[in-house]
Amino acid sequence: MVDGNWQWYDPEVAKAIAAENVAVSRLGEAQANSVQSEAQLDVYALDPAYKEAMEAAEATLDDTLAPYGLELKPSEPKGTLAEAQERLSLANSALEDAVSASAEYQAGQQSLLDAIAKQVDLPAISDPSQAAVRSPDGPSAEEANQDAKAEHAEVAQLLIDSALRTANGNKATVDQLVASTELELKLTDAKPGTAEYTAIEERLQGLQTLQGAAANQVTLAEAYQEYGIAQKAAADLAVTMEPLKQELLAQARERNPHHFDWEGFTNGRGEFTGKILSQDIVDESGQLYVVTVYENATFTDENGPAS
């Protein structure tokens, strides 16, 4: 699904897109983790409660580096402790979003790969009303079709899940960029009103607009997921029910073979039913019946004429 529309891609292209999403998200997670660590150190450096611990850590590092002619020169944290804590909150949010994006993209990639693998051996869905070669002891054409439909529904469900996971990954990525850009505004030396500061503000506004669009894509993908789940459940139920339906039809045919003459029949009163228009199995209060609708009459198996 791209921008709310399903588009066809060659499987290899689809795999490459999914792999790129995963790779970029892992890079974003690593970057967000580094920024979060720096923000956490700023809080420690400005918090009096950690003053002795920070000084001890710096001394230990200097002792370790001294034999190599090196020394630690940590940068001075900006602003107050409250400001550093605010920056840390943004860095934590960005990291959480990055982790979520990476997980969603990876899950979406796996669903896509599973769908592509299953597509290779998908059975064809045929017209069950047409004659077909089958084993005498094998499933009916309708049973085979229901099995095939269930397999197709499973692949469709995997693709829908991949689309939802990707939409979630996109939304998390945009959320990460928003938090990161808000943090950038707090860390920049540029003054409000300058070209550099304004450029960051405009970039942030654009990302905030994208947040709404990304959220809409998630909502749409969630709706598709609900549809896909319902379709898969219906297909699975049809597979379970089809042998029962075939058994019911066989029993009905044995009792009233003339009800299965699609050209119709004439009853004892000389009344012609006309051709069969439809033959369905209906559920009436938990009881299944074969209902045959002719041009001039309707019969419910076991109960005789329904109308």
Side-chain angles (χ1 to χ4, degrees):
M1 186 188 296
V2 180
D3 295 332
N5 297 305
W6 287 99
Q7 296 185 19
W8 183 89
Y9 284 92
D10 181 279
E12 294 306 315
V13 174
K15 289 179 185 178
I17 293 173
E20 181 183 30
N21 286 338
V22 170
V24 172
S25 68
R26 285 176 174 168
L27 174 61
E29 184 178 350
Q31 292 172 332
N33 191 59
S34 174
V35 171
Q36 190 273 346
S37 296
E38 291 179 9
Q40 183 66 74
L41 282 174
D42 281 355
V43 170
Y44 289 151
L46 291 168
D47 191 339
Y50 292 94
K51 186 175 186 298
E52 291 185 6
M54 289 292 291
E55 289 176 348
E58 288 178 20
T60 299
L61 285 171
D62 281 339
D63 289 343
T64 303
L65 294 171
Y68 305 98
L70 302 172
E71 64 177 328
L72 179 67
K73 294 182 179 180
S75 59
E76 290 296 322
K78 293 183 177 182
T80 64
L81 174 59
E83 291 171 334
Q85 289 171 330
E86 187 177 358
R87 295 196 301 269
L88 177 59
S89 178
L90 287 171
N92 284 336
S93 294
L95 179 57
E96 289 173 7
D97 292 330
V99 170
S100 177
S102 182
E104 291 290 345
Y105 281 135
Q106 288 180 60
Q109 180 189 42
Q110 189 58 58
S111 290
L112 175 67
L113 294 176
D114 290 344
I116 291 173
K118 288 180 179 295
Q119 276 184 327
V120 174
D121 297 319
L122 273 183
I125 298 176
S126 60
D127 183 352
S129 66
Q130 300 297 316
V133 177
R134 54 167 289 195
S135 169
D137 298 325
S140 66
E142 187 57 43
E143 285 177 292
N145 254 12
Q146 295 298 353
D147 288 338
K149 288 178 182 178
E151 291 187 47
H152 280 261
E154 181 180 6
V155 169
Q157 178 58 36
L158 286 169
L159 290 172
I160 289 171
D161 180 72
S162 178
L164 175 58
R165 295 288 192 169
T166 301
N168 284 335
N170 292 342
K171 175 63 166 56
T173 298
V174 175
D175 290 342
Q176 175 195 352
L177 291 173
V178 167
S180 297
T181 307
E182 289 176 341
L183 179 58
E184 184 181 352
L185 270 178
K186 294 185 179 300
L187 288 171
T188 183
D189 292 326
K191 301 298 182 183
T194 63
E196 182 181 346
Y197 194 92
T198 299
I200 300 174
E201 282 186 318
E202 291 177 348
R203 177 153 44 87
L204 176 60
Q205 291 172 358
L207 289 169
Q208 289 170 334
T209 299
L210 281 179
Q211 272 185 310
N216 289 338
Q217 293 304 312
V218 170
T219 299
L220 181 59
E222 288 174 339
Y224 269 110
Q225 185 193 45
E226 291 180 7
Y227 170 78
I229 291 173
Q231 288 290 95
K232 181 65 171 66
D236 289 342
L237 179 60
V239 169
T240 302
M241 291 298 297
E242 192 56 38
L244 299 177
K245 290 182 177 181
Q246 293 299 320
E247 182 179 351
L248 182 60
L249 285 170
Q251 292 173 356
R253 184 181 289 108
E254 184 177 352
R255 284 191 296 269
N256 301 298
H258 52 288
H259 285 176
F260 290 80
D261 184 348
W262 286 80
E263 295 303 316
F265 66 94
T266 301
N267 62 24
R269 296 188 297 273
E271 299 169 337
F272 179 58
T273 61
K275 296 181 180 180
I276 292 179
L277 300 178
S278 65
Q279 192 168 64
D280 301 298
I281 295 176
V282 299
D283 183 345
E284 185 178 297
S285 301
Q287 180 65 50
L288 295 177
Y289 295 104
V290 179
V291 177
T292 305
V293 179
Y294 296 85
E295 292 174 324
N296 305 321
T298 298
F299 287 87
T300 301
D301 183 58
E302 294 187 334
N303 293 338
S307 62

